[in-house]
Structure formats: C-alpha cells, structure tokens
C-alpha cells in the first residue's frame, strides 16, 4: 500500500510539472503591501554554529522596519553569554534582534516557539534551525505567497551543504531529497496534507493560533501542528524551487538521535491524529488515505525489521515443506514494492544529478546502498516506532551541529557528541552475524544445490547492519 501511494505521488509530481503556478502574490516593491515578519531561531547549546547562524540571518534582504528577529535560546552552557554578546553587536547596527531565554525547557522546541510567539510582532513567522543558512532573498521569495489568505504555511526545500562529505551524508541526502521532491510536491499539488518540516518555512501567525498553537506532547511538534492546521482547512504552499541550505549530521550517533526523534515523533502523531483524520468531514477519502500512510511512514521500519528477522526461518520452512512452496512463490509478488521505489526514486535522482547511462548506473549503486543502510537502521528505528505507538515519553534529544567547514580538523572534539555505547549496537552486531548466516544458508538448504532467492535481501541486510554496527563502534555512540 505504501509503495502504491508512492507511485501515485510520482504521478502527481510529474503532472505538477505541466502546470504553471499562477498564485497571486504581494508586491514587495510597494511599501504598503510589505507585511511585518518575525524570524524565530530556536537554539540549544549551539557553540559551533551560533555565530554562523546569526551572521547569516543578519544578511536577510527585507525592510528593516518590517523585520524582527527572535533568538529563542534555551542553552544551558557558556553559549548563552557569547550569543548575547553577538546579538548586542548586531543590534547596534540597527537590526531588530532580541535574545529570549527561559528558566526551563518546558515543551522543548515547541515550548520555545510558543513562548516567542507571545511577544512576536510579525504577522508571519519564519523559523530556522541553527544549521540552516537561507539566502538573503529568502523572505522575498516566500512571504509574497501569503497574499492568498487561505495559505497558512509556506515551506521550502532543504539543501545540503555537505552532501558529498561521506557515505553517511550522501545516504541522508538521498532520503531527504526523495521527501522534498516526490512526496512534498506529490501531496501538495493535489491538495493532500503535507508537513511543515520544522525549519526553513514561514507560518501565518493567525494559523498557528487558530490550530491550537505549538504543543510539546510529541517529538515532532512540526508534524503535529501541520495536521491540526490542515484539519482546520488552512492551505500549505510548498516551494520546490526555493532551496534552503543546511548541514547534515556527519557522525552516526548524531544521525541516530535525529532518526529516533523523527520516527518516534511520526508514530506519536499517528496515535494522536488517527481519529481526527478519519472522522474529518472536510477532506476527501484519498487525502485521508495519503494522510494516514504519511503518519505511518516511520512504521515501515518495524515491518522491514520483522520481515528481515523471519526471512531466515522462512527459508528453511520453504525447503523443508514442499507443499508450502506455492505460497512463497505468490509472496514473491511483493518484490514489486521494491521495483516501485526504484522507479520513483530515479525521477528524484535524475532531477538533481541529471540523466544518462553513467548517471543511471550511479543511481543503481546509490539506491541499493541506501536501502541496505536504511535496513541497517531498522532495529534502532523500530524501537523508536514502538515507543511512539505505545505512548512512552522521552526527552527531546537535539542533533549536535558541527560547522564542518570551520572545524574540519577538530570536529571529533565536539563537546555535544554522545560517548556512551548504546546496548542496541551490540544487538546490531549480532544481527550482522545472523544475516551472514542467512547468506551461508542459501548454499545448504534444498535438494538441488541451494536456494538463492533471498540471497540479495540477506546480503543487503548483512551490509546494512554491519555498516551501522562498525560505524557506531568507531564513533562510540
């Protein structure tokens, strides 16, 4: 079902390219039409990127009398003082920038955004995480769309300033690119629900308030508010052609914490939003189906993990009980889902890297590498999904930032990196051996020299879990 939904999104994506956008927009050359904008920067212990963030935001090309910047600083280390000093320096240039701190982190990021909203003077609220670097003309390319009073959010596409830093960053970029092209455009072009991605977007302040304001009861407050807003008939506008560069996590421990938060938050929001979506009388059946599959997105990892673990016993059952073989032949039909993903992701890859035989063969390698490592994360992400579905609460764990261009020689000394070994890593090591046994099993089962039907699957699983295990050992998760 999920694969078929992706295929439908591909069709929507390709169809959208044939339609010219004719949205009515503000004329920002007319001072009377320029709306007041508040830029919110929620930060927490961002020693390595704080200076870069503030200097970049100060370059935004927007009328200074219509721009307010809030630095929502929940930091608990020495950056509180250095950030304050830097803000004072920028404020001396005439920039309306405020340093807002709290005595506690209640609600985490959602709580900080909500606190800032109380005193925000802007009609529209732009939000950037600490590792994002919008271009100077970013507000001029996004804010004009709010002339349509039905639009509550304008979201832009994430870019990746360190895409080619390592295999890990290339894999993350591959996955995010699929989301920010195929999924966001495919849903938005047909009026299905999309999500504000937590950063690199603008909210209409009225929309936030009308939808019930920020809530900190899930780890993905952005997805939560997005669905509540769209259930109240607010429209979202996604701009694929506006790219907002950001830095991807470069160590696996950082990627793991980010993946855990996103996947658990997705499951929490399914639990929270299921019946609201199902019972809504404002949306079509097709939008409900896409919405529920969207909210269940992270639960795919649990399905993958269960299928993976059971695949080796099934290999023996298939060859021990001949009368069951027909069932296995029928089940092989579901390889169609992998073929669908392969086709869908190719269009995304081609848009970014170009077409041609050499690019296509490069894509084949990247696709199977991506799938292998994604399966290697399936245990870690399945635990996150289960916790989300059963309602187990956990702290909002930030993703450490690195500013790799400035600190390329000593990033390993990053004070925010977790050094404690996770018990999950040991299980991932055992699973590497388990799927290596699956590879061996292909040669010994059956009466006619082995059964290699699941060999590619077990090879990808062995590589994926092996990669995650050894990378985690090296970085001392």
């Amino acid at each position: 079902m999920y694969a078929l939904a992706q295929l439908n999104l591909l069709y929507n994506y390709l169809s959208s390219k044939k339609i010219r956008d004719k949205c009515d927009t503000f004329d920002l050359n007319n001072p009377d039409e320029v709306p007041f904008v508040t830029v919110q920067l929620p930060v927490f212990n961002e020693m390595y990127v704080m200076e870069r963030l503030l200097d970049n935001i100060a370059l935004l090309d927007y009328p200074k009398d219509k721009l307010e910047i809030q630095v929502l600083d929940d930091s608990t280390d020495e950056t509180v003082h250095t950030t304050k000093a830097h803000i004072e320096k920028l404020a001396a240039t005439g920039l309306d920038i405020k340093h807002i701190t709290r005595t506690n982190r209640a609600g985490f990021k959602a709580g900080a955004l909500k606190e800032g909203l109380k005193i925000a003077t802007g009609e529209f609220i732009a939000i950037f995480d600490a590792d994002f670097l919008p271009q100077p003309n970013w507000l001029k390319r996004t804010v004009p769309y709010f002339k349509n009073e039905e639009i509550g959010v304008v979201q832009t596409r994430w870019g990746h300033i360190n895409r080619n830093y390592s295999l890990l960053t290339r894999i993350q970029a591959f996955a995010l690119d699929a989301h920010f092209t195929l999924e966001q455009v495919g849903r938005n072009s047909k009026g299905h629900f999309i999500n504000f991605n937590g950063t690199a977007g603008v909210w209409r302040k009225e929309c936030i308030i009308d939808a019930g304001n920020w809530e900190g009861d899930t780890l993905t407050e952005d997805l939560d508010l997005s669905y509540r807003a769209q259930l109240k008939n607010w429209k979202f506008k996604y701009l694929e052609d506006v790219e907002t560069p950001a830095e991807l996590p470069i160590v696996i421990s950082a990627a793991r914490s980010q993946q855990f938060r996103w996947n658990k938050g997705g499951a929490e929001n399914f639990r929270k939003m299921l019946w609201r979506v199902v019972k809504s009388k404002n949306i079509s059946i097709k939008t409900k189906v896409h919405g529920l599959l969207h909210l269940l997105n992270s639960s795919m990892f649990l399905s993958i993990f269960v299928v993976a673990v059971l695949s080796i016993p099934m290999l023996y059952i298939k060859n021990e009980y001949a009368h069951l073989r027909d069932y296995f032949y029928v089940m092989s039909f579901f390889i169609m889902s992998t073929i669908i993903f392969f086709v869908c992701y190719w269009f995304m890859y081609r848009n970014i890297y170009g077409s041609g035989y050499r690019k296509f063969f490069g894509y084949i390698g990247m696709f199977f590498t991506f799938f292998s490592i994604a399966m290697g994360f399936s245990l870690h992400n399945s635990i996150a999904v289960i916790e989300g579905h059963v309602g187990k609460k956990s702290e909002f764990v930030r993703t450490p930032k690195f500013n790799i261009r400035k600190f390329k020689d000593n990033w390993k000394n990053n004070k925010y990196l977790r050094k404690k070994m996770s018990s999950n890593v040991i299980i991932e090591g055992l699973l590497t051996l388990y799927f290596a046994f699956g590879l061996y099993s292909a040669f010994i089962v059956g009466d006619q020299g082995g059964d290699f039907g699941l060999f590619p699957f077990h090879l990808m699983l062995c590589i994926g879990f092996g990669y995650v295990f050894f990378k985690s050992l090296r970085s001392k998760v």
Side-chain angles (χ1 to χ4, degrees):
M1 285 181 65
Y2 184 75
L4 290 173
Q6 293 292 105
L7 192 61
N8 181 244
L9 293 179
L10 173 62
Y11 173 79
N12 295 346
Y13 178 80
L14 296 176
S15 299
S16 73
K17 299 303 175 185
K18 301 174 184 178
I19 302 172
R20 296 192 65 181
D21 193 346
K22 298 180 180 178
C23 285
D24 194 16
T25 57
F26 286 123
D27 178 11
L28 295 186
N29 292 316
N30 179 356
D32 294 333
E33 285 201 33
V34 178
F36 202 112
V37 175
T38 296
V39 175
Q40 291 188 325
L41 309 175
V43 298
F44 175 69
N45 295 351
E46 305 290 4
M47 174 185 291
Y48 303 97
V49 296
M50 201 65 221
E51 182 179 333
R52 182 182 71 178
L53 170 68
L54 294 174
D55 288 344
N56 185 81
I57 292 299
L59 297 176
L60 285 173
D61 181 16
Y62 201 79
K64 292 293 185 283
D65 61 330
K66 296 290 184 74
L67 180 65
E68 170 193 50
I69 299 170
Q70 293 182 336
V71 182
L72 308 174
D73 192 356
D74 276 0
S75 298
T76 55
D77 63 3
E78 65 271 30
T79 59
V80 175
H81 306 294
T82 55
T83 296
K84 181 181 179 181
H86 201 108
I87 289 172
E88 289 173 350
K89 188 190 305 182
L90 292 174
T93 67
L95 190 66
D96 183 1
I97 182 169
K98 301 177 178 67
H99 189 212
I100 300 171
T101 59
R102 300 191 295 166
T103 56
N104 62 67
R105 290 184 67 206
F108 305 111
K109 181 180 176 181
L113 293 170
K114 188 174 183 178
E115 192 74 19
L117 196 68
K118 292 178 182 178
I119 57 173
T121 53
E123 182 182 354
F124 303 104
I125 313 294
I127 300 172
F128 298 103
D129 283 347
D131 51 337
F132 278 75
L133 302 169
Q135 298 294 331
N137 66 349
W138 193 91
L139 287 174
K140 289 185 173 180
R141 296 183 69 186
T142 55
V143 171
Y145 288 94
F146 284 103
K147 187 165 187 179
N148 180 345
E149 294 184 356
E150 292 183 329
I151 291 180
V153 173
V154 173
Q155 173 67 52
T156 65
R157 177 172 58 88
W158 293 6
H160 317 292
I161 59 178
N162 61 333
R163 171 191 297 272
N164 295 314
Y165 178 80
S166 66
L167 177 60
L168 181 63
T169 57
R170 287 194 293 273
I171 291 302
Q172 292 175 86
F174 185 90
L176 288 169
D177 289 340
H179 171 69
F180 280 99
T181 53
L182 176 72
E183 294 183 352
Q184 291 288 66
V185 176
R187 293 189 182 106
N188 192 227
S189 64
K190 296 298 182 182
H192 304 320
F193 285 10
I194 66 169
N195 59 300
F196 168 66
N197 294 105
T199 176
V202 190
W203 282 84
R204 188 187 296 271
K205 185 177 180 180
E206 180 189 352
C207 173
I208 298 175
I209 302 300
D210 182 55
N213 215 322
W214 297 102
E215 296 179 356
D217 57 342
T218 73
L219 292 180
T220 45
E221 72 295 321
D222 45 6
L223 180 60
D224 172 27
L225 185 58
S226 296
Y227 267 67
R228 285 188 279 121
Q230 288 167 108
L231 285 168
K232 299 206 74 171
N233 288 333
W234 287 98
K235 307 298 182 187
F236 281 30
K237 180 69 178 176
Y238 177 68
L239 303 179
E240 184 187 10
D241 60 336
V242 180
E243 179 182 294
T244 311
E247 188 173 277
L248 295 161
I250 61 172
V251 296
I252 201 162
S253 57
R256 287 170 80 103
S257 64
Q258 186 179 72
Q259 287 281 308
F260 194 91
R261 188 174 72 249
W262 287 352
N263 285 289
K264 181 172 181 176
E268 287 176 327
N269 272 289
F270 175 79
R271 177 187 172 96
K272 182 175 180 176
M273 292 294 166
L274 171 62
W275 294 113
R276 300 190 201 187
V277 172
V278 170
K279 294 178 180 179
S280 174
K281 297 179 180 180
N282 300 327
I283 55 179
S284 67
I285 295 295
K286 193 170 184 180
T287 295
K288 289 181 181 182
V289 171
H290 271 291
L292 294 178
L293 288 172
H294 181 197
L295 292 170
L296 277 172
N297 188 354
S298 62
S299 299
M300 286 292 293
F301 284 103
L302 184 57
S303 299
I304 290 169
F305 183 69
V306 171
V307 169
V309 171
L310 294 178
S311 63
I312 295 177
M314 286 297 180
L315 181 63
Y316 283 89
I317 292 169
K318 172 188 173 185
N319 286 280
E320 184 68 25
Y321 301 98
H323 65 285
L324 295 177
R325 288 188 180 182
D326 288 344
Y327 292 103
F328 288 93
Y329 294 141
V330 172
M331 287 166 60
S332 66
F333 168 78
F334 291 101
I335 193 126
M336 285 295 297
S337 61
T338 303
I339 296 172
I340 290 172
F341 287 126
F342 182 85
V343 172
C344 290
Y345 288 4
W346 162 243
F347 283 91
M348 169 274 295
Y349 187 90
R350 187 179 67 176
N351 277 355
I352 296 170
Y353 296 99
S355 56
Y357 288 110
R358 292 181 64 184
K359 297 294 185 183
F360 182 70
F361 285 116
Y363 166 71
I364 293 174
M366 178 56 71
F367 178 82
F368 285 104
T369 303
F370 161 72
F371 253 57
S372 298
I373 295 176
M375 289 192 288
F377 273 101
S378 62
L379 169 67
H380 177 77
N381 291 344
S382 291
I383 294 170
V385 167
I386 291 170
E387 287 189 6
H389 281 305
V390 301
K392 180 181 177 180
K393 297 299 180 183
S394 59
E395 185 179 359
F396 186 104
V397 179
R398 62 179 290 281
T399 305
K401 317 297 191 305
F402 294 89
N403 195 354
I404 195 64
R405 291 178 179 175
K406 182 175 180 180
F407 298 98
K408 58 184 178 181
D409 296 326
N410 63 346
W411 65 261
K412 292 182 180 179
N413 297 323
N414 188 305
K415 64 180 287 185
Y416 305 123
L417 280 176
R418 294 174 59 204
K419 300 298 183 181
K420 184 180 178 181
M421 173 73 75
S422 167
S423 59
N424 294 343
V425 175
I426 304 302
I427 301 174
E428 287 161 350
L430 294 174
L431 285 167
T432 304
L433 297 176
Y434 178 68
F435 293 115
F437 173 72
L439 296 175
Y440 167 73
S441 298
F443 293 91
I444 63 171
V445 297
D447 302 323
Q448 301 176 359
D451 184 341
F452 294 91
L454 288 172
F455 190 87
F457 184 49
H458 290 151
L459 178 62
M460 292 169 67
L461 285 162
C462 186
I463 291 171
F465 276 103
Y467 175 86
V468 172
F469 172 66
F470 287 109
K471 268 285 189 180
S472 298
L473 283 184
R474 287 186 62 188
S475 65
K476 295 181 181 178
V477 176

